[in-house]
Amino acid sequence: MTNNLLEDKSVLLGVTGSIAAYKAVDIASQLIKLGANVNVALTEAATKFITPFTFKTITGNMPYYDMWDTNAKAKEQHIELAHNADLMIIAPATASTIATLAYGMGDDSVSLCALSTGAPKLIAPAMDHQMWNNKATQENINKLIERGDTIILPEYGRLASGEFGLGRLSSVDNIIDEIKRKAGDVYGDLCGKHIVITAGGTREPLDPVRFLSNRSSGKMGFALAEAARNRGSSVTLISSVKRNSLSGVHFIETETTDQMFNEVKKATQKADALIMAAAVSDFKFKEINKDKIKDKNNDLSVNLTPNPDIIASVEKNIIKVAFAAETKDLKKYAEKKLFSKNAHFIVANDVSDPSIGFNSDNNKVTIISDKGKVINLPIMPKIEVSHAILNSLKEYF
Ligand SMILES: Cc1cc2nc3c(=O)[nH]c(=O)nc-3n(C[C@H](O)[C@H](O)[C@H](O)COP(=O)(O)O)c2cc1C
């Protein structure tokens, strides 16, 4: 099974008459790269901003823009497109189209398809800030939300008029991210599960400006959160670092191990699994100076005391996944840690290799289970490593 849920999915992209219509080309192109079959419907107004020919070239499919085309191959083109769609995204969506959708009308190719499809719908509005803030638009948006459509909110920024305000089409990256998330919600193999994931190196303060930490970037934990979310799981990400924001992921920022410990304890009460990808500091300072320690020529001695063992303290009634970052005898130390943490399996990586592990976009890991199963994975992007870890996790559900 592929972990890219958009592969071979049929996505119907509705484009309407906004100045942002050109961005829909990028959306179509990215969906194609993800393996989706993309069909495009354009309103008449949209064709004033971008040509159907552009979409034909990008998608390889004939766009639908003339409801009355006597040469159309299908008997009822809108029905064929609407029924074959696994997902529909309207981007950009004008105020006018949003009103049309809210009132259940189907007097142009986009609204006709939207009215005829049973596929989940995502709508990304783009318009002037006054149009967006207009009570009529807001009421229409609320109607669509009540009916279960997903609204990808517009951004604040410079608008076509030159004014600044809320109304710009959300970034293409964010729109693609929302489409992936929706695909996970509807078609994912982890739907109904709740996974708690930790990320980053915890920081133990010595004084207001200094802390004890490690080289963990948080990339592995964030990749895991993205992968789990894209497979339909609800995700709580507890992290000491802030990276890209992941829509739909419940993010909790913590700094110290004690804070992370408290948040993990709370979040795991109602979770199905805990993946401890954070590099937790084993020690904290016994005393934290209230004021900055001043430069002195003398040596400074500090006392360290052990931090709570987060993963070991969580009951094994949920699936527990530990991480081991070792610089030598990887398998030996990882196995020892697997049992001392009372985990179901452990993900071990060799951090002595600078091309993988901390701060790298790739990782090379070995997954060792409490049942003695060992999976040696080749070097691959952290998002792929994440899917492999989730595949192992799934075996325990
Ligand atoms: C230059 C220009 C830019 C426009 N940009 C937008 C826009 O960004 N958002 C919007 O809601 N309407 C915009 N409009 C108005 C729509 O094109 C107009 O309401 C049209 O009837 C929408 O039709 P449709 O929703 O069927 O595509 C713009 C109009 C013009 C002339």
Side-chain angles (χ1 to χ4, degrees):
M1 184 207 135
T2 169
N3 294 312
N4 168 16
L5 291 178
L6 288 169
E7 197 166 319
D8 296 329
K9 287 279 183 306
S10 211
V11 180
L12 180 52
L13 169 63
V15 185
T16 68
S18 156
I19 193 74
Y22 71 95
K23 295 181 184 170
V25 179
D26 196 9
I27 297 171
S29 164
Q30 295 215 31
L31 290 169
I32 296 282
K33 282 186 201 143
L34 287 163
N37 174 39
V38 180
N39 280 290
V40 179
L42 297 103
T43 60
E44 194 186 342
T47 64
K48 309 284 182 201
F49 292 90
I50 186 105
T51 72
F53 193 78
T54 309
F55 290 106
K56 177 179 175 280
T57 313
I58 293 283
T59 65
N61 292 324
M62 200 57 204
Y64 173 53
Y65 59 97
D66 179 2
M67 286 160 64
W68 314 112
D69 181 5
T70 45
N71 293 320
K73 283 202 193 102
K75 213 163 68 169
E76 290 184 297
Q77 219 181 334
H78 63 284
I79 297 291
E80 194 170 298
L81 289 171
H83 289 195
N84 287 339
D86 296 305
L87 283 174
M88 181 171 186
I89 161 89
I90 305 179
T94 59
S96 175
T97 287
I98 288 165
T100 305
L101 298 176
Y103 285 91
M105 287 158 68
D107 53 6
D108 61 76
S109 12
V110 173
S111 60
L112 190 56
C113 285
L115 201 57
S116 316
T117 191
K121 285 194 286 290
L122 298 103
I123 294 157
M127 64 197 73
D128 177 72
H129 62 113
Q130 305 273 25
M131 288 169 86
W132 174 251
N133 288 321
N134 191 299
K135 229 174 150 194
T137 305
Q138 288 305 311
E139 281 174 15
N140 291 333
I141 286 285
N142 286 335
K143 275 200 184 109
L144 298 180
I145 293 171
E146 274 166 31
R147 286 182 206 145
D149 294 344
T150 300
I151 306 297
I152 305 175
L153 290 174
E155 291 177 353
Y156 179 90
R158 191 175 184 280
L159 303 163
S161 62
E163 290 179 24
F164 281 79
L166 194 60
R168 272 172 72 93
L169 181 70
S170 180
S171 72
V172 172
D173 282 351
N174 189 47
I175 290 172
I176 296 294
D177 201 41
E178 289 283 358
I179 297 171
K180 286 181 181 170
R181 177 183 159 202
K182 191 65 172 183
D185 285 351
V186 184
Y187 304 107
D189 59 351
L190 295 175
C191 281
K193 299 293 178 199
H194 177 197
I195 304 178
V196 177
I197 297 166
T198 63
T202 55
R203 286 192 294 271
E204 305 301 339
L206 171 64
D207 68 15
V209 295
R210 301 179 179 92
F211 56 80
L212 173 70
S213 191
N214 57 65
R215 295 182 194 280
S216 174
S217 63
K219 283 182 183 175
M220 192 64 237
F222 272 69
L224 274 159
E226 186 179 346
R229 181 206 62 179
N230 289 353
R231 289 168 72 163
S233 173
S234 90
V235 177
T236 301
L237 177 61
I238 303 169
S239 174
S240 58
V241 290
K242 250 188 177 159
R243 299 191 65 84
N244 49 315
S245 79
L246 291 167
S247 75
V249 167
H250 179 44
F251 182 77
I252 299 172
E253 194 175 0
T254 54
E255 187 180 357
T256 64
T257 304
D258 278 324
Q259 286 169 2
M260 189 174 273
F261 176 68
N262 288 331
E263 293 300 337
V264 167
K265 236 179 8 189
K266 274 190 267 172
T268 50
Q269 299 292 313
K270 284 187 183 147
D272 298 290
L274 167 67
I275 308 180
M276 275 299 296
V280 171
S281 178
D282 293 329
F283 296 97
K284 61 185 166 192
F285 293 104
K286 215 164 185 173
E287 276 162 34
I288 303 171
N289 271 61
K290 197 161 69 51
D291 299 308
K292 186 183 170 197
I293 298 171
K294 293 288 177 208
D295 290 344
K296 283 181 191 152
N297 290 327
N298 302 327
D299 290 350
L300 174 70
S301 295
V302 288
N303 287 315
L304 295 171
T305 184
N307 260 322
D309 189 334
I310 300 180
I311 189 163
S313 71
V314 173
E315 294 283 328
K316 215 180 174 182
N317 55 3
I318 65 167
I319 312 305
K320 298 201 298 177
V321 183
F323 266 69
E326 303 292 348
T327 50
K328 62 175 188 177
D329 294 330
L330 183 72
K331 193 160 172 285
K332 189 177 104 188
Y333 286 122
E335 268 170 351
K336 213 170 140 199
K337 193 168 173 185
L338 168 70
F339 292 105
S340 73
K341 303 289 178 194
N342 202 18
H344 291 80
F345 63 91
I346 192 158
V347 181
N349 60 343
D350 178 356
V351 287
S352 67
D353 181 346
S355 68
I356 55 170
F358 289 146
N359 210 23
S360 164
D361 289 329
N362 297 318
N363 209 352
K364 182 176 179 302
V365 305
T366 302
I367 298 175
I368 305 166
S369 86
D370 60 351
K371 296 176 185 133
K373 191 169 164 186
V374 177
I375 305 173
N376 282 304
L377 292 168
I379 183 162
M380 49 193 191
K382 282 183 174 168
I383 192 78
E384 296 305 326
V385 174
S386 301
H387 282 298
I389 293 167
L390 294 172
N391 290 344
S392 291
L393 182 64
K394 241 183 79 179
E395 288 178 18
Y396 287 87
F397 284 147

